[in-house]
Amino acid sequence: CIAALCRAFDLPFYFVCKPVPRWLRQNPAGNYARALALGAELVPLKPDDYRRCIADPEWRADLLKDVAGVSEVAWVPQGAA
């Protein structure tokens, strides 16, 4: 999983996603639980913002720079890893 790779290289991992259901936040399971255990930081976005993040590379770059506090970030689309 990407979270394990980031941890192995001491890199932060920000997971941009749609809002996580309350039941899953309260009882993490599967890849979600593993990513959290490995230090992934969730960046839940409203559905419209999430769609914009996917579609608009400039908007996404600004968002990720604000969240990560760095000028250079890598973007891996959902399902590409």
Side-chain angles (χ1 to χ4, degrees):
C1 99
I2 293 176
L5 182 64
C6 289
R7 185 170 188 171
F9 287 92
D10 197 30
L11 298 169
F13 176 53
Y14 299 94
F15 187 78
V16 178
C17 60
K18 298 172 194 165
V20 177
R22 179 179 294 132
W23 65 266
L24 187 57
R25 285 192 317 262
Q26 293 173 345
N27 299 295
N31 287 340
Y32 173 68
R34 180 164 167 81
L36 291 176
L38 291 168
E41 292 189 45
L42 238 52
V43 182
L45 300 176
K46 296 175 187 173
D48 287 342
D49 289 339
Y50 181 79
R51 283 189 288 278
R52 186 170 181 194
C53 187
I54 300 302
D56 184 341
E58 189 173 316
W59 190 88
R60 176 176 60 233
D62 289 341
L63 168 78
L64 294 173
K65 287 175 188 173
D66 287 345
V67 168
V70 295
S71 60
E72 219 175 298
V73 295
W75 170 257
V76 179
Q78 183 176 2

